[in-house]
Amino acid sequence: MNHCGCNQINWYKMIGGVLICLILVAIVFGLIVCHQNLQEHSILTAVAENGDNLQLGTTTIKFSKNEIVEGTGITHPEGSDEIIINQTGIYQISYLLNGEDQTTESFNVNAILLVNQQALESTFQEGPVIRDIVNNRMTLTSTVILKLNAGDILKLQGVSIEDITYSRARIDIEQIKIL
């Protein structure tokens, strides 16, 4: 009978090896999670001011200035109606659109997002039909989350059959996940 404890030492070595492996796996997992959280997410805020959108009725909205541009996943040439998606991902899009009419008997402003010139019906924001000259201004706001692909062109469109002008608009886009 061997009382030197050799079997006990082998067990300690095996348990130590397993613990070292678990620690290494935890470190690698932590680095992967940390890397995913550190990926650069892009943000764009573009603003249209009074005079940027003089076309009446249905029109895509031009934004004269960019207030926030972070990252490279989204770009917008100032003065353009096109927002260019450079990186496939999940995006949260919020907008504000102000429509006005000075000569109406009825008044209706709606908005929709376009991707590659195609209207996304699920983003249609409908304002009420107002049949009263007292209120000739309306602001629509909406927030949607969309999966967009690199190369997509995003536009905000004001929709109305009346002679509406779009005096102000703002769009905020945040890339919430890179795919």
Side-chain angles (χ1 to χ4, degrees):
M1 186 174 209
N2 186 354
H3 293 284
C4 71
C6 292
N7 288 337
Q8 190 176 7
I9 292 172
N10 286 336
W11 274 104
Y12 288 143
K13 285 181 183 179
M14 189 170 24
I15 291 171
V18 168
L19 286 175
I20 289 172
C21 287
L22 287 174
I23 290 170
L24 289 174
V25 167
I27 289 171
V28 169
F29 180 75
L31 290 173
I32 290 170
V33 169
C34 187
H35 173 71
Q36 288 175 344
N37 289 336
L38 292 177
Q39 286 181 339
E40 183 179 310
H41 293 261
S42 297
I43 297 172
L44 171 75
T45 295
V47 176
E49 296 176 330
N50 200 6
D52 286 350
N53 297 288
L54 300 175
Q55 182 176 340
L56 300 176
T58 298
T59 187
T60 56
I61 304 302
K62 294 178 182 151
F63 298 95
S64 61
K65 67 179 183 175
N66 297 330
E67 289 188 342
I68 300 172
V69 179
E70 292 290 330
T72 58
I74 315 162
T75 54
H76 170 255
E78 290 184 336
S80 169
D81 64 353
E82 294 186 347
I83 297 166
I84 301 144
I85 304 302
N86 299 317
Q87 200 170 46
T88 299
I90 307 296
Y91 292 83
Q92 180 172 304
I93 303 159
S94 300
Y95 65 81
L96 171 144
L97 180 62
N98 181 267
E100 295 183 24
D101 188 356
Q102 301 303 320
T103 61
T104 188
E105 292 178 8
S106 68
F107 180 80
N108 182 239
V109 176
N110 307 299
I112 195 165
L113 292 172
L114 309 176
V115 175
N116 302 324
Q117 301 291 21
Q118 297 296 312
L120 301 178
E121 291 299 322
S122 66
T123 69
F124 188 70
Q125 176 70 5
E126 189 171 10
V129 176
I130 299 172
R131 301 191 191 286
D132 185 349
I133 195 66
V134 174
N135 188 1
N136 62 350
R137 234 180 346 185
M138 187 179 307
T139 300
L140 296 176
T141 61
S142 184
T143 299
V144 299
I145 295 176
L146 298 174
K147 179 184 179 278
L148 298 171
N149 298 308
D152 282 349
I153 304 295
L154 179 72
K155 295 182 179 187
L156 173 62
Q157 185 174 66
V159 180
S160 182
I161 60 171
E162 284 89 22
D163 290 337
I164 304 298
T165 57
Y166 303 97
S167 57
R168 291 183 311 116
R170 174 184 175 110
I171 192 163
D172 300 290
I173 305 170
E174 180 180 0
Q175 181 184 46
I176 57 177
K177 184 172 183 175
I178 300 169
L179 298 178

